[in-house]
Amino acid sequence: MSAVAFIFIFIIIIPTKQAITLFQSPDEGWQVYTSAQAPDGKCLCTAVIPVQGTCSRDLRSHQLRQLMEKVQNISQSMEVLDLRTYRDLQYVRNTESLMKGLDSRLKVAAESQRSLNAKSFQELKEKMTELLPLLPVLDQYKADTRLIVHLKEEVRNLSGSLLAIQEEMGAYDYEELQQRVLMLEARLHACMQKLGCGKLTGVSNPITIRASGSRFGSWMTDTMTPSADSRVWYMDGYYKGRRVLEFRTLNDFVTGQNFVQHLLPHPWAGTGHVVFNGSLYYNKYQSNIAVKYHFRSRSVLVQRSLAGAGYNNTFPYSWGGFSDIDFMVDESGLWAVYTTNQNAGNIVVSRVDPQTLEVLRSWDTGYPKRSAGESFMICGTLYVTNSHLAGAKIYFAYYTNTSSYEYTDIPFHNQYSHISMLDYNPRERVLYTWNNGHQVIYNVTLFHVIKTSGEL
Ligand SMILES: *[C@@H]1O[C@H](CO)[C@@H](O)[C@H](O)[C@H]1NC(C)=O
Ligand SMILES: *[C@@H]1O[C@H](CO)[C@@H](O)[C@H](O)[C@H]1NC(C)=O
Ligand SMILES: *[C@@H]1O[C@H](CO)[C@@H](O)[C@H](O)[C@H]1NC(C)=O
Ligand SMILES: *[C@@H]1O[C@H](CO)[C@@H](O)[C@H](O)[C@H]1NC(C)=O
Ligand SMILES: *[C@@H]1O[C@H](CO)[C@@H](O)[C@H](O)[C@H]1NC(C)=O
Ligand SMILES: *[C@@H]1O[C@H](CO)[C@@H](O)[C@H](O)[C@H]1NC(C)=O
């Protein structure tokens, strides 16, 4: 079957505002919420939330409280997922109507074939063929609706059990309930991972966040911390820099205020730095040493050489600038992109242990690093651009899951014509770039087919 694939999205929401309080026990201090309605395509979720200020009196209500928190967490995760993937759903819908339109045009054309000129008929037919793989996808999309409805029922049942427990506090099977919550949590987690990941199929128009700094540099938010932490890190220049600015929020970054400065003990090379879980990972100037600098303690936690990795402008990206070693983070963790003499200058991508900086596994992509503008990782796939200049596109994809590659043709607008940094942030599902003294972001569209055979 075809490689075209799509994400669909369903939602389990916690409706905090329009919730109706169904039940409240003044003794135990629990409230049971349920959503007021099931808007089309959305799933209901009920959640039981402890009333603020009450404290648990015995172990059982403590356990119950944890259970509730879990249900609540699940619901919140699903909500985040919904926000992230909403636009993909729109895309599927748009494409569906596009396809229907094309189909009817094709039918009309086929009926009056004699009056139609052969060339435009052929064009129409080719367009249609391109869209054909969508059909099974849309069927799956419908089948998946049923699965989500099932999940919804399970969440509802769970809440029902919780209600019952409250009514006869003291006579419930905590163990059984906990098993059910654990199972539900595992399934929702698996569901989210499947929904969240996919193949890159599109990049949005750029949004310029700020114009500042020199031609080359790097800026980012943490790829892992909770979304409440929106600190922005800013590292101007590619050569011997040591000054990292930390802005409190994205707004502070836009206006250039409220920042603190970190002075790195070792200077950096290139622009391939990444912030992951509160630490900066970067390449130490004139070496192939990876450094992990922890912001809160303002100290280097570990440094280690990447065996055989070229440095000091031996194997940079096409724009030069000591960009020999590029760190990045995707949904599955930390990666380093570089090359070695043994790999004859072709891009090597390595999984790196974020605690020890040890290389866990490496893949030789076969793509010459000097012909790459930049690269970034999404869901275990390395995407490589063919230039840093105007006209650049995402040209090559290396799948670490199957150790295989594919040439791609994904355009994006290189507005300021000189990209010296391009990184994916899996938490925000956004590409961050430094383009000729401008800090720019793009949204990405990831598509994925969910297998409907078997359980979620
Ligand atoms: C719910 O999520 C919060 C924040 O991520 C976490 O601290 C807490 O331990 C989670 N609770 C449960 C029961 O998983
Ligand atoms: C929910 O509860 C109803 C009634 O007890 C039961 O028939 C149904 O199978 C349950 N659904 C799930 C998904 O567990
Ligand atoms: C490998 O990853 C790509 C992109 O994330 C995905 O489209 C593909 O289905 C995966 N292949 C396997 C065999 O899991
Ligand atoms: C993130 O950092 C905390 C401590 O700061 C650590 O306990 C946790 O394991 C780290 N997570 C990852 C995925 O490295
Ligand atoms: C790095 O390259 C410069 C020339 O560009 C050279 O002078 C210097 O010795 C090199 N340093 C190392 C550590 O290889
Ligand atoms: C990305 O998508 C979000 C949500 O749809 C939207 O608010 C934001 O403006 C988009 N950003 C870009 C860079 O297109």
Side-chain angles (χ1 to χ4, degrees):
M1 214 198 73
S2 150
V4 182
F6 292 87
I7 280 203
F8 76 85
I9 293 79
F10 285 91
I11 309 120
I12 294 185
I13 43 170
I14 244 192
T16 42
K17 293 230 171 62
Q18 72 275 44
I20 311 166
T21 304
L22 280 189
F23 180 83
Q24 182 171 359
S25 154
D27 294 341
E28 293 300 322
W30 296 100
Q31 279 183 320
V32 180
Y33 288 98
T34 186
S35 59
Q37 77 213 40
D40 73 308
K42 290 193 174 184
C43 295
L44 291 175
C45 178
T46 49
V48 187
I49 299 157
V51 172
Q52 294 284 321
T54 59
C55 52
S56 56
R57 284 188 208 96
D58 57 13
L59 179 65
R60 195 181 289 142
S61 61
H62 174 70
Q63 289 172 326
L64 195 56
R65 191 185 295 268
Q66 281 201 320
L67 219 58
M68 299 311 155
E69 200 180 310
K70 230 165 221 163
V71 174
Q72 208 180 335
N73 279 5
I74 290 168
S75 309
Q76 277 167 355
S77 308
M78 293 304 283
E79 193 182 2
V80 168
L81 180 72
D82 164 44
L83 288 174
R84 285 199 338 193
T85 45
Y86 173 75
R87 56 181 174 269
D88 297 344
L89 182 59
Q90 291 303 113
Y91 185 91
V92 172
R93 284 188 179 143
N94 294 345
T95 318
E96 188 179 21
S97 60
L98 174 74
M99 186 173 61
K100 279 183 181 148
L102 203 59
D103 191 30
S104 54
R105 267 176 64 197
L106 189 65
K107 278 203 183 99
V108 172
E111 277 156 16
S112 54
Q113 203 175 348
R114 237 171 271 155
S115 65
L116 193 80
N117 87 48
K119 186 164 156 280
S120 61
F121 180 72
Q122 192 53 34
E123 273 173 12
L124 214 53
K125 223 173 151 179
E126 275 165 17
K127 270 244 166 65
M128 186 65 203
T129 315
E130 271 174 38
L131 282 170
L132 272 179
L134 257 178
L135 286 171
V137 169
L138 290 170
D139 278 343
Q140 283 194 307
Y141 172 85
K142 280 168 199 144
D144 289 335
T145 315
R146 291 195 292 274
L147 271 184
I148 302 290
V149 167
H150 182 80
L151 266 181
K152 165 189 113 181
E153 192 183 327
E154 201 160 316
V155 172
R156 234 200 230 138
N157 278 3
L158 184 71
S159 303
S161 313
L162 294 169
L163 248 180
I165 289 164
Q166 281 195 282
E167 279 164 355
E168 38 183 305
M169 214 49 191
Y172 70 92
D173 186 348
Y174 175 77
E175 290 298 316
E176 194 228 313
L177 200 62
Q178 191 182 34
Q179 273 321 105
R180 289 176 63 182
V181 171
L182 286 178
M183 255 173 61
L184 181 67
E185 189 181 43
R187 290 175 62 186
L188 282 176
H189 189 73
C191 170
M192 273 169 52
Q193 284 209 324
K194 285 184 182 181
L195 283 170
C197 254
K199 199 164 163 170
L200 180 68
T201 55
V203 175
S204 75
N205 278 323
I207 292 187
T208 302
I209 301 294
R210 191 179 169 190
S212 77
S214 66
R215 191 163 199 199
F216 318 92
S218 178
W219 73 295
M220 66 214 89
T221 57
D222 197 312
T223 47
M224 193 185 133
T225 56
S227 47
D229 177 352
S230 64
R231 282 178 295 167
V232 174
W233 284 274
Y234 177 85
M235 298 164 75
D236 190 11
Y238 64 88
Y239 173 78
K240 268 181 149 172
R242 286 176 62 204
R243 212 162 70 103
V244 182
L245 302 188
E246 174 187 317
F247 292 86
R248 213 165 43 94
T249 65
L250 186 65
N251 273 341
D252 287 338
F253 176 65
V254 170
T255 56
Q257 56 192 359
N258 287 331
F259 61 86
V260 294
Q261 180 176 311
H262 298 264
L263 202 58
L264 300 174
H266 313 290
W268 72 67
T271 55
H273 336 297
V274 72
V275 174
F276 175 51
N277 198 17
S279 292
L280 174 75
Y281 294 80
Y282 72 97
N283 174 214
K284 189 174 179 174
Y285 179 62
Q286 288 203 332
S287 76
N288 58 15
I289 293 171
V291 178
K292 177 183 181 180
Y293 174 83
H294 188 238
F295 285 115
R296 183 147 16 98
S297 62
R298 294 185 176 253
S299 61
V300 169
L301 295 187
V302 52
Q303 47 179 318
R304 181 185 286 269
S305 160
L306 277 171
Y311 61 95
N312 204 20
N313 248 349
T314 313
F315 294 120
Y317 287 127
S318 60
W319 63 276
F322 295 82
S323 58
D324 300 70
I325 298 173
D326 192 3
F327 294 98
M328 51 193 76
V329 169
D330 73 350
E331 287 74 2
S332 58
L334 180 66
W335 302 83
V337 166
Y338 54 92
T339 183
T340 69
N341 277 323
Q342 291 88 326
N343 293 97
N346 291 331
I347 291 179
V348 175
V349 56
S350 293
R351 280 220 63 122
V352 176
D353 182 329
Q355 314 303 336
T356 63
L357 298 178
E358 272 170 302
V359 168
L360 302 172
R361 188 176 164 190
S362 292
W363 290 260
D364 182 343
T365 65
Y367 191 89
K369 187 149 186 291
R370 274 187 179 279
S371 309
E374 266 292 337
S375 71
F376 56 92
M377 197 87 181
I378 303 181
C379 297
T381 298
L382 184 75
Y383 295 94
V384 181
T385 65
N386 59 351
S387 162
H388 58 285
L389 301 171
K393 61 185 182 182
I394 297 160
Y395 181 66
F396 178 85
Y398 188 84
Y399 302 97
T400 58
N401 59 356
T402 49
S403 300
S404 61
Y405 67 87
E406 172 175 77
Y407 286 91
T408 57
D409 188 356
I410 304 170
F412 65 96
H413 184 39
N414 182 353
Q415 199 175 352
Y416 306 105
S417 308
H418 194 289
I419 291 179
S420 57
M421 171 231 162
L422 178 56
D423 255 336
Y424 172 67
N425 183 311
R427 180 167 62 90
E428 297 166 1
R429 223 187 190 194
V430 154
L431 291 173
Y432 278 73
T433 73
W434 185 294
N435 197 339
N436 223 342
H438 296 80
Q439 291 73 46
V440 176
I441 60 172
Y442 300 87
N443 279 330
V444 295
T445 307
L446 308 180
F447 283 141
H448 185 95
V449 171
I450 293 177
K451 292 190 187 69
T452 48
S453 56
E455 294 290 278
L456 268 174

